[in-house]
Amino acid sequence: MARRLILGDIHGSYRALCEVLDKAGFNPDEDELYSVGDIADGYPDVYECLAFLRNLPSFHPVIGNHDAWLQNWLSDGTAPSIWVMQGGRRSIESFTKAKVSRKDRIEFAEWMSTWPYAILLSDAAIMHGGPGTDLTLDDIQGLSEEKRNLKEPASDGQYIPDRPADTLMWD
């Protein structure tokens, strides 16, 4: 029987990611691996984390606020100073050091655009932030079917737009 493993806020630490999966005895052919977002930013191995996870057939991520910032940079080079200061510099350096081509960066951004805002399972709801006080289960169900548009600006975290998707990433 497959186990369900849920990771949170990897923030570019490939070493920690590998250690946790090793200690858990993760088997990619049998176990389901979920991420609550924020794979990007912070530690220096963001590219390595994403490249590894992208190749797992059993990987199911939701998008976090740091992932949204990275997705924008990968697709169009947008790098707001608040993102760069909060770990984005490490993401940029990781992709630059790995010499990831513009075409491959866009492919990563497109892959990230397949990540929903939430995943609803029979006994769990997986999201980066939380539903706040206003979102209902029906709202979360709708957001589990919605993906982030590549052209969408990412909130700066100081002003959260009045969008349910941003609530799930920031609340």
Side-chain angles (χ1 to χ4, degrees):
M1 179 174 179
R3 294 181 306 155
R4 180 190 308 156
L5 303 174
I6 303 173
L7 294 171
D9 296 70
I10 297 166
H11 284 294
S13 181
Y14 185 68
R15 178 179 169 194
L17 171 62
C18 292
E19 286 177 6
V20 165
L21 293 178
D22 184 55
K23 286 181 181 182
F26 174 65
N27 181 338
D29 296 322
E30 294 178 11
D31 298 328
E32 297 293 314
L33 182 63
Y34 293 83
S35 169
V36 301
D38 279 4
I39 296 167
D41 302 345
Y43 287 89
D45 301 317
V46 175
Y47 169 75
E48 289 81 357
C49 290
L50 287 168
F52 170 75
L53 294 168
R54 186 178 180 187
N55 288 315
L56 293 177
S58 59
F59 180 61
H60 312 284
V62 298
I63 196 154
N65 56 305
H66 285 269
D67 305 319
W69 279 328
L70 174 61
Q71 184 188 37
N72 283 1
W73 178 78
L74 290 168
S75 66
D76 65 15
T78 303
S81 60
I82 191 165
W83 172 62
V84 173
M85 292 183 315
Q86 291 187 22
R89 179 179 55 83
R90 293 291 193 124
S91 291
I92 293 168
E93 290 170 356
S94 180
F95 274 81
T96 302
K97 180 179 133 190
K99 297 182 169 106
V100 180
S101 70
R102 178 82 182 116
K103 177 182 173 279
D104 288 341
R105 287 181 189 179
I106 290 171
E107 285 180 10
F108 269 97
E110 289 171 348
W111 170 59
M112 294 172 79
S113 73
T114 68
W115 301 3
Y117 291 102
I119 296 173
L120 286 181
L121 304 170
S122 62
D123 60 347
I126 299 170
M127 61 195 81
H128 181 65
T133 57
D134 297 329
L135 298 183
T136 66
L137 187 56
D138 286 341
D139 294 329
I140 296 168
Q141 175 65 46
L143 289 166
S144 73
E145 297 165 7
E146 188 177 326
K147 313 297 190 275
R148 189 169 181 279
N149 183 321
L150 280 175
K151 304 296 181 196
E152 218 173 288
S155 171
D156 65 8
Q158 294 176 15
Y159 167 71
I160 311 280
D162 189 22
R163 290 178 353 116
D166 288 319
T167 299
L168 287 188
M169 285 193 291
W170 283 93
D171 195 310

